């Protein structure tokens, strides 16, 4: 056996740790750029104690927005970039910190649609403080950016882009509305299941995923119904963190392979897309494995997932998929058509999904017909 597991992020976790952000930021320099979501309200008291340039990210980040953010950070002479927000704010801050020191056009560095130019210079120090529990972006080495021109999302990726510090304070998530809790939480669950069955999984990834799936399965419903359930929020913040570490080391799979072109062309929250696709992506993988690769270790992984989420020792992979389908129904996860996606769009989506970087880590290659069946079922 041979494997690698890398992270260079210092992780600070716990209720109340948000209060340490100003002091932590100053250890990297006097002048900070603070990147927030659409509303900087939750971050206001923290920002007021920093000598900060603020930059709001109204939606999921684009190449254009990152270009503007990097220009602002340079003009203001910022020493450090701090993101306080969900995955969009964290990915935007991560990309701004990298482009500020590497210059050029963000698109040149993008995978798949860009030139994939390497990030050569050390980015500005970057601190991530998540206010949702889902993306795990506080510990990943990539930033997902939309390109309006190409109608897809693609990653800016480099080991140098790992945040220097992930400051994870579950209290920051107490105010999230139920729908956001559901979508981001189901993204976390997807990001624990896909690395576990990935072709690149390893024993450290397994440990994080199996533990994280249990936490999410026990806590997500509670966090959805009672936003200030301290224990449930803590469990979801941990599940999200574990998912981020797992995906950064083992990649994702078919669900994220689809989330990339869908999120690039239609205005839908990433977590909502993942949630809509998750049961069908799992079902297609299980069916394809049973048909073409009986005895593949991923089949036992799907059964393990089922035993954890249902709490039943005799649960089958199908029972696990059914449990997730029921959870999505309870949370009113919208079907893909709600975002304006139509049946006529699907062949083009399949073509782009087949090329997405996440698809490469799927436990086995799926045929175009199998991919079409996944997205059709989620429509
Ligand atoms: Zn995701």
């Amino acid at each position: 056996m041979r494997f690698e597991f890398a992270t260079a992020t210092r992780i600070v976790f716990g209720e109340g740790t948000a209060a340490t952000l100003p002091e932590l930021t100053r250890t990297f320099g006097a002048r900070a750029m603070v990147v927030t979501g659409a509303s900087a309200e939750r971050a206001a008291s923290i920002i007021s104690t920093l000598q900060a340039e603020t930059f709001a990210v109204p939606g999921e980040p684009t190449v254009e927005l990152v270009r503007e953010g990097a220009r602002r950070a340079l003009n203001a002479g910022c020493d450090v970039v701090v993101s306080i927000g969900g995955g969009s704010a964290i990915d935007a801050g991560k990309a701004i910190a990298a482009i500020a020191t590497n210059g050029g056009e963000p698109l040149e560095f993008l995978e798949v649609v860009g030139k994939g130019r390497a990030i050569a210079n050390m980015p500005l120090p970057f601190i991530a403080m998540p206010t949702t529990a889902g993306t795990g972006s506080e510990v990943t080495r990539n930033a997902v950016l939309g390109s309006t021109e190409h109608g897809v999302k693609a990653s800016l990726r480099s080991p140098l882009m790992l945040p220097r510090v992930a400051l994870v304070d579950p209290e920051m998530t107490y105010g999230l509305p139920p729908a956001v809790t559901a979508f981001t939480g189901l993204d976390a669950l997807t990001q624990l299941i896909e690395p576990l069955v990935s072709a690149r999984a390893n024993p450290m990834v397994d440990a994080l995923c199996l533990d994280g799936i249990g936490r999410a399965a026990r806590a997500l419903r509670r966090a959805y119904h009672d936003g200030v359930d301290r224990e449930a929020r803590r469990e979801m913040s941990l599940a999200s963190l574990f998912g981020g570490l797992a995906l950064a080391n083992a990649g994702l799979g078919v669900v994220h392979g689809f989330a990339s072109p869908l999120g690039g062309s239609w205005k839908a929250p990433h977590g909502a897309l993942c949630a809509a696709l998750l049961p069908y992506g799992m079902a297609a993988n299980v069916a394809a494995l049973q048909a073409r690769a009986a005895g593949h270790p991923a089949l036992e992984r799907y059964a393990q997932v089922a035993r954890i989420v249902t709490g039943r020792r005799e649960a089958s992979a199908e029972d696990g998929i059914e449990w997730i389908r029921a959870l999505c129904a309870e949370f009113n996860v919208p079907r893909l058509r709600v975002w304006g996606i139509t049946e006529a769009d699907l062949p083009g989506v399949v073509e782009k999904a087949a090329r997405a970087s996440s698809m490469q880590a799927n436990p086995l290659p799926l045929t175009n017909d199998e991919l079409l069946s996944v997205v059709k079922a989620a429509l």
Side-chain angles (χ1 to χ4, degrees):
M1 177 188 292
R2 183 175 170 172
F3 71 85
E4 276 191 40
F5 187 96
T7 187
T9 303
R10 175 182 162 205
I11 297 165
V12 180
F13 186 95
E15 289 84 358
T17 53
T20 66
L21 182 67
E23 195 189 326
L24 190 65
T25 304
R26 280 191 285 270
T27 64
F28 292 100
R31 184 129 190 104
M33 171 179 255
V34 177
V35 179
T36 66
S39 149
E41 211 177 301
R42 238 171 316 170
S45 65
I46 296 164
I47 293 169
S48 68
T49 65
L50 288 167
Q51 191 193 346
E53 173 84 7
T54 58
F55 187 74
V57 179
E60 297 195 355
T62 61
V63 169
E64 296 78 20
L65 178 111
V66 167
R67 191 193 296 135
E68 169 63 12
R71 196 186 59 78
R72 290 256 307 272
L74 283 176
N75 288 350
C78 294
D79 310 300
V80 48
V81 178
V82 180
S83 282
I84 306 173
S88 294
I90 294 177
D91 277 7
K94 203 188 282 179
I96 288 169
I99 296 299
T101 60
N102 283 273
E105 167 57 35
L107 195 56
E108 283 189 20
F109 298 92
L110 274 194
E111 293 178 352
V112 189
V113 295
K115 294 189 187 137
R117 201 177 125 195
I119 298 288
N121 302 328
M122 198 62 197
L124 289 175
F126 175 62
I127 301 174
M129 188 162 84
T131 58
T132 62
T135 67
S137 178
E138 66 274 16
V139 288
T140 65
R141 68 194 76 181
N142 67 308
V144 181
L145 304 182
S147 159
T148 320
E149 183 192 335
H150 292 85
V152 291
K153 285 182 173 179
S155 275
L156 198 64
R157 191 187 311 268
S158 165
L160 301 181
M161 287 169 62
L162 277 170
R164 297 283 279 276
V165 185
L167 189 56
V168 185
D169 184 341
E171 288 182 1
M172 298 299 285
T173 67
Y174 288 4
L176 288 178
V180 180
T181 300
F183 297 158
T184 53
L186 286 163
D187 185 25
L189 190 58
T190 309
Q191 296 182 168
L192 289 159
I193 294 173
E194 292 205 297
L196 179 70
V197 298
S198 143
R200 304 208 297 266
N202 69 50
M204 290 189 65
V205 168
D206 296 350
L208 288 164
C209 292
L210 293 171
D211 183 275
I213 290 166
R215 291 181 194 274
R218 290 188 299 269
L220 184 48
R221 212 175 250 124
R222 281 170 55 189
Y224 177 81
H225 290 293
D226 175 10
V228 293
D229 182 326
R230 288 177 67 81
E231 194 192 352
R233 289 296 197 188
R234 180 188 308 146
E235 295 288 72
M236 288 312 300
S237 289
L238 280 173
S240 170
L241 178 64
F242 290 2
L245 289 166
L247 81 89
N249 283 283
L252 292 159
V254 57
V255 173
H256 279 81
F258 273 117
S260 148
L262 291 174
S265 296
W266 287 274
K267 238 178 144 39
H270 169 75
L273 294 174
C274 288
L277 290 156
L278 179 59
Y280 308 108
M282 291 171 76
N285 273 348
V286 169
L289 287 163
Q290 283 167 347
R292 296 201 289 283
H296 191 291
L299 277 172
E300 171 52 24
R301 300 294 169 86
Y302 279 116
Q304 261 178 303
V305 171
R307 292 195 290 271
I308 296 171
V309 297
T310 64
R312 290 191 288 113
R313 270 218 308 248
E314 73 291 355
S316 67
E318 287 75 12
D319 295 330
I321 295 167
E322 196 40 53
W323 185 91
I324 288 169
R325 208 192 305 268
L327 189 66
C328 290
E330 181 183 335
F331 291 167
N332 295 311
V333 170
R335 305 194 66 79
L336 296 180
R337 66 176 74 243
V338 170
W339 309 108
I341 302 162
T342 67
E343 189 144 4
D345 298 317
L346 301 185
V349 168
V350 165
E351 208 177 293
K352 285 180 180 170
R355 289 200 303 269
S357 57
S358 294
M359 198 65 89
Q360 316 314 317
N362 202 53
L364 81 174
L366 296 177
T367 65
N368 275 12
D369 283 348
E370 286 167 338
L371 291 174
L372 189 62
S373 75
V374 171
V375 77
K376 231 179 197 169
L379 194 65

